[in-house]
PDB file of all heavy atoms in Angstrom:
ATOM      1  N   ALA A  57      -3.507  17.077  17.081  1.00  0.00           N
ATOM      2  CA  ALA A  57      -4.862  17.612  17.102  1.00  0.00           C
ATOM      3  C   ALA A  57      -5.062  18.359  18.422  1.00  0.00           C
ATOM      4  O   ALA A  57      -4.265  18.247  19.351  1.00  0.00           O
ATOM      5  CB  ALA A  57      -5.873  16.477  16.979  1.00  0.00           C
ATOM      6  N   PRO A 136      20.325  23.721  51.778  1.00  0.00           N
ATOM      7  CA  PRO A 136      19.840  24.576  50.682  1.00  0.00           C
ATOM      8  C   PRO A 136      18.553  24.095  50.025  1.00  0.00           C
ATOM      9  O   PRO A 136      17.866  24.852  49.366  1.00  0.00           O
ATOM     10  CB  PRO A 136      20.984  24.538  49.677  1.00  0.00           C
ATOM     11  CG  PRO A 136      21.641  23.221  49.916  1.00  0.00           C
ATOM     12  CD  PRO A 136      21.535  22.978  51.401  1.00  0.00           C
ATOM     13  N   LEU A 149       7.541  37.807  24.957  1.00  0.00           N
ATOM     14  CA  LEU A 149       8.123  38.619  26.011  1.00  0.00           C
ATOM     15  C   LEU A 149       9.602  38.267  26.088  1.00  0.00           C
ATOM     16  O   LEU A 149      10.120  37.510  25.274  1.00  0.00           O
ATOM     17  CB  LEU A 149       7.406  38.361  27.333  1.00  0.00           C
ATOM     18  CG  LEU A 149       5.887  38.626  27.295  1.00  0.00           C
ATOM     19  CD1 LEU A 149       5.274  38.346  28.650  1.00  0.00           C
ATOM     20  CD2 LEU A 149       5.586  40.055  26.855  1.00  0.00           C
ATOM     21  N   LYS A 272     -18.987  16.823  15.399  1.00  0.00           N
ATOM     22  CA  LYS A 272     -18.067  17.951  15.576  1.00  0.00           C
ATOM     23  C   LYS A 272     -17.961  18.781  14.305  1.00  0.00           C
ATOM     24  O   LYS A 272     -17.848  20.015  14.355  1.00  0.00           O
ATOM     25  CB  LYS A 272     -16.676  17.426  15.969  1.00  0.00           C
ATOM     26  CG  LYS A 272     -15.742  18.487  16.523  1.00  0.00           C
ATOM     27  CD  LYS A 272     -16.189  18.970  17.879  1.00  0.00           C
ATOM     28  CE  LYS A 272     -15.198  19.959  18.460  1.00  0.00           C
ATOM     29  NZ  LYS A 272     -15.645  20.464  19.791  1.00  0.00           N
ATOM     30  N   ASP A 334      17.256  11.282  -3.472  1.00  0.00           N
ATOM     31  CA  ASP A 334      16.349  12.393  -3.744  1.00  0.00           C
ATOM     32  C   ASP A 334      15.276  12.066  -4.767  1.00  0.00           C
ATOM     33  O   ASP A 334      14.299  12.807  -4.903  1.00  0.00           O
ATOM     34  CB  ASP A 334      17.128  13.647  -4.196  1.00  0.00           C
ATOM     35  CG  ASP A 334      18.335  13.308  -5.039  1.00  0.00           C
ATOM     36  OD1 ASP A 334      18.295  12.274  -5.730  1.00  0.00           O
ATOM     37  OD2 ASP A 334      19.321  14.054  -4.990  1.00  0.00           O
ATOM     38  N   VAL A 416      17.972  26.852 -18.056  1.00  0.00           N
ATOM     39  CA  VAL A 416      17.939  25.392 -17.941  1.00  0.00           C
ATOM     40  C   VAL A 416      17.610  24.764 -19.289  1.00  0.00           C
ATOM     41  O   VAL A 416      18.238  23.791 -19.713  1.00  0.00           O
ATOM     42  CB  VAL A 416      16.924  24.958 -16.870  1.00  0.00           C
ATOM     43  CG1 VAL A 416      16.724  23.442 -16.897  1.00  0.00           C
ATOM     44  CG2 VAL A 416      17.380  25.401 -15.487  1.00  0.00           C
TER      45      VAL A 416
END
Side-chain angles (χ1 to χ4, degrees):
L149 302 180
K272 195 69 176 179
D334 36 29
V416 171

